[in-house]
Amino acid sequence: MKITIETVEHVANLARLYLSEEEKKEMANTLSSILDYMDKLNELDTANVPPTAHIIPIKNVFREDVVKESLPREEVLKNAPEKERGFFKVPRIIED
């Protein structure tokens, strides 16, 4: 599949990237070669290959969720730069 310079420009614009003309040509060639390789992989017969998410068996390695005693609120907040009504106070980052 051939990726055009226009396609590269469109994707670069969506990603807010500035690419020089040379970078656009290089990216178009690189992306085209990746898609050509994917087309080649599509030629393989995978009819008898079961779908998998991982190539090796995996198991849940998480511990059981057990309720334990927590640290006292005062101890948790004692080194906080700012606190308010028993909570950490952090700078506001969402603007109106």
Side-chain angles (χ1 to χ4, degrees), residues 1 5 7-9 12-13 16-17 20 28 32 34 37 40 43-44 47 49 58 62 66-68 74 76 81 83-84:
M1 179 176 193
I5 298 291
T7 303
V8 171
E9 288 172 341
N13 183 48
R16 305 293 190 256
L17 297 174
S20 68
S32 292
I34 291 170
Y37 184 72
K40 187 174 184 95
E43 295 172 9
L44 295 173
V49 178
I58 62 168
F62 297 116
V66 179
V67 177
K68 294 182 178 180
E74 297 77 29
V76 172
K83 51 193 165 244
E84 185 176 295

Side-chain angles (χ1 to χ4, degrees), residues 23-69:
E23 289 172 321
K24 291 176 190 176
K25 290 176 189 172
E26 181 181 342
M27 190 61 64
N29 288 333
T30 301
L31 292 173
S32 292
S33 66
I34 291 170
L35 292 178
D36 289 342
Y37 184 72
M38 295 307 295
D39 280 341
K40 187 174 184 95
L41 289 176
N42 284 334
E43 295 172 9
L44 295 173
D45 179 18
T46 59
N48 296 321
V49 178
T52 57
H54 297 280
I55 59 171
I56 58 173
I58 62 168
K59 63 179 181 160
N60 187 353
V61 294
F62 297 116
R63 62 169 171 76
E64 288 295 317
D65 192 11
V66 179
V67 177
K68 294 182 178 180
E69 196 66 32

